[in-house]
Every structure is written in structure tokens, then in C-alpha cells.
């Protein structure tokens, strides 16, 4: 456990709970959790912050995935296949990460996110298919292959290379490619996210860059936030998820813009 005050520990735990809630509903909890860790642990090496972030996030994501699986119509086999491809993609992205400048990627991601926000706002029916459409109707083989290769491999690669907003991109891509409603897409994204987090955490653990004691305390709060968020997404439906999605997208754009301005 790093040498931090009780106040800092409490604030980090509250941030972990809020991040778990956001991540469960629509993804993007790292937008809150990672900056909180960087602020709360200013003298800790960045690698340890990233490793601890993954150790916390995987617990909340796993709890949310279990909660969704109990009530949401998810093709578990397809989700696992996408997840395994995402795992491979994230490891590949991490391999190339050292040679890529984040200052180059940030403007590109900002433009993509603004395009996504405009699309969602101009298409009120996006992601509002009747719950169950993702499993009750057959999905074309081409769409399944696209989901595995592009959604899994592509977004997994992005997660390893850069990272912010991975969960949000997963929800949007799964909704667009497989024609899922937003609730089912969120549930499926959680399974994929567990795979990517597991791969990254294994690498950080191997390198010895995880603050396990701090992660264990924060993970309890992240788990609680994730399970509450999943239950709210299930009970309130796609309209609620859509509103949170837009909020997270604009917040992510603001965060990336701020980082680019201060780069």
C-alpha cells in the first residue's frame, strides 16, 4: 500500500465506485478512474498506476458482466470469441504502444467521437431495438466475422495502444454491427472488456507494476458501482443508456481536448 492519507484513500474509493457505475452502463469508466489515480498517487510511477487501474477495473467489469448475464439476452459464445480476438488485439497494440505518439492519436480520436455523438443525436432510434433482438433473430455470418475481426481485433488493438473510451467504442460498434439494442450491447461489451482487462493485467502483474493492496480496497467499491450500474441499465432500458452514452462521449472529448491542449 502506498503512503497516502485516509482522505485520499476515501476519495479514490469513491472514484472507483463512480467509475464502476459508468463502465457498467456504457463503458468509459477509465475516464474517471485513471485520472483519479494519477492525481491521488502523484509520486507513483505511471506503470504502477496503469497496472493498479486494470486490477481495479477488471473486478467491477466482471461483476457487471455477471449481473447482465443473469437478465440480458447475450450470445455468450459470440461475446467470448470477440473477447479472445480483443485480447490478442490489445496485446498487439501494447507491443506497438511505445512507438506511437499519443499527441498524434488524440485529435483523430476526438474527431471520431464527435462524429459518433452527432450520429447518435441525429438517429434517435439508434440502439433502441427491442430487447432480445440480439439473440432471437439470426445474425448474418458476415456481421459476425466483422464483429470478431473489427470490433474485437480493432478496438482491442486500440485499447492496448491508447485506451480511453474503449468500453464506449465497444458498445457503439456492437450496436452498429450486430444491430443490438444498447442494453444488450452493454452486456456483451462487458464480457469483451473482461478479456482485454485480463490480458493487460496479466502483463502488468508479470512486470510487477500492480499495487495489489490498494487495488483490493478500491476494487470492492468498483464492484459495487458496477453491479448497481448494470441493474440500472437493465431496469431503465436503452433510453437511459443512450443519455449516459452521450454524456460520456462529450466528457471523453473534453478530456482528450484538455490533454491535447496541455501536451
Amino acid at each position: 500500500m502506498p503512503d497516502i492519507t485516509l482522505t485520499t484513500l476515501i476519495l479514490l474509493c469513491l472514484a472507483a465506485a463512480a467509475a464502476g457505475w459508468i463502465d457498467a452502463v456504457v463503458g468509459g469508466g477509465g475516464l474517471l478512474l485513471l485520472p483519479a489515480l494519477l492525481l491521488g498517487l502523484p509520486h507513483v510511477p505511471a506503470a504502477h498506476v496503469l497496472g493498479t487501474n486494470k486490477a481495479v477495473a477488471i473486478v467491477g467489469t466482471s461483476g457487471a458482466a455477471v449481473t447482465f448475464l443473469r437478465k440480458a439476452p447475450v450470445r455468450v459464445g459470440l461475446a467470448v470469441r470477440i473477447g479472445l480476438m480483443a485480447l490478442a488485439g490489445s496485446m498487439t497494440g501494447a507491443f506497438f504502444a511505445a512507438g506511437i505518439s499519443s499527441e498524434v492519436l488524440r485529435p483523430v480520436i476526438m474527431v471520431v467521437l464527435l462524429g459518433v455523438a452527432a450520429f447518435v443525436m441525429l438517429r434517435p432510434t439508434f440502439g433502441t431495438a427491442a430487447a432480445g433482438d440480439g439473440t432471437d433473430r439470426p445474425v448474418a455470418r458476415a456481421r459476425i466475422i466483422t464483429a470478431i475481426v473489427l470490433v474485437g481485433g480493432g478496438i482491442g488493438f486500440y485499447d492496448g495502444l491508447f485506451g480511453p473510451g474503449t468500453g464506449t467504442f465497444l458498445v457503439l460498434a456492437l450496436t452498429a454491427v450486430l444491430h443490438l439494442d444498447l442494453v444488450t450491447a452493454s452486456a456483451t461489451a462487458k464480457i469483451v472488456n473482461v478479456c482485454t482487462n485480463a490480458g493487460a493485467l496479466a502483463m502488468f502483474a508479470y512486470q510487477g507494476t500492480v499495487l495489489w493492496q490498494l487495488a483490493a480496497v478500491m476494487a470492492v467499491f468498483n464492484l459495487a458501482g458496477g453491479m448497481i450500474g448494470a441493474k440500472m441499465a437493465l431496469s431503465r432500458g436503452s433510453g437511459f443508456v443512450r443519455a449516459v452514452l452521450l454524456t460520456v462521449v462529450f466528457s471523453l472529448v473534453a478530456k482528450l481536448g484538455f490533454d491535447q491542449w496541455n501536451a
Side-chain angles (χ1 to χ4, degrees):
M1 178 76 76
D3 185 17
I4 59 176
T5 65
L6 179 60
T7 300
T8 299
L9 178 60
I10 292 173
L11 291 174
L12 286 176
C13 288
L14 292 176
W21 186 90
I22 294 171
D23 214 36
V25 176
V26 75
L31 177 65
L32 175 61
L33 184 57
L34 189 55
L37 283 167
L38 289 170
L39 289 173
L41 307 173
H43 303 299
V44 172
H48 287 73
V49 172
L50 292 171
T52 304
N53 173 64
K54 285 299 182 184
V56 174
I58 193 172
V59 175
T61 302
S62 299
V66 171
T67 302
F68 271 119
L69 285 173
R70 289 175 176 173
K71 296 183 179 180
V74 182
R75 281 194 175 96
V76 178
L78 176 58
V80 170
R81 279 183 285 168
I82 296 173
L84 291 175
M85 179 62 77
L87 174 62
S90 66
M91 293 178 69
T92 305
F95 178 79
F96 288 103
I100 299 296
S101 171
S102 59
E103 284 73 21
V104 174
L105 285 176
R106 285 193 196 108
V108 176
I109 301 303
M110 288 170 62
V111 171
V112 172
L113 283 170
L114 287 172
V116 165
F119 177 80
V120 174
M121 292 177 69
L122 295 173
R123 293 282 300 274
T125 59
F126 178 75
T128 58
D133 283 357
T135 57
D136 294 339
R137 295 190 304 183
V139 180
R141 182 177 179 83
R143 289 187 176 274
I144 292 176
I145 294 174
T146 300
I148 294 173
V149 176
L150 294 184
V151 179
I155 296 180
F157 181 84
Y158 166 79
D159 191 22
L161 185 69
F162 193 53
T166 296
T168 305
F169 282 129
L170 282 172
V171 172
L172 289 166
L174 289 168
T175 302
V177 174
L178 298 179
H179 292 169
L180 303 177
D181 64 276
L182 283 171
V183 173
T184 304
S186 292
T188 306
K190 294 294 134 333
I191 297 175
V192 178
N193 241 166
V194 170
C195 294
T196 58
N197 284 341
L201 179 58
M203 181 60 68
F204 284 122
Y206 175 76
Q207 295 172 341
T209 56
V210 180
L211 303 174
W212 291 109
Q213 290 180 315
L214 177 61
V217 175
M218 294 177 64
V220 173
F221 290 84
N222 191 253
L223 175 62
M227 295 181 72
I228 292 171
K231 290 179 180 178
M232 290 182 68
L234 287 166
S235 63
R236 299 196 179 189
S238 294
F240 170 72
V241 176
R242 183 174 182 271
V244 176
L245 171 65
L246 288 172
T247 301
V248 170
V249 166
F250 283 120
S251 299
L252 185 55
V253 169
K255 172 65 168 59
L256 292 173
F258 180 79
D259 290 345
Q260 183 67 18
W261 180 266
N262 289 278

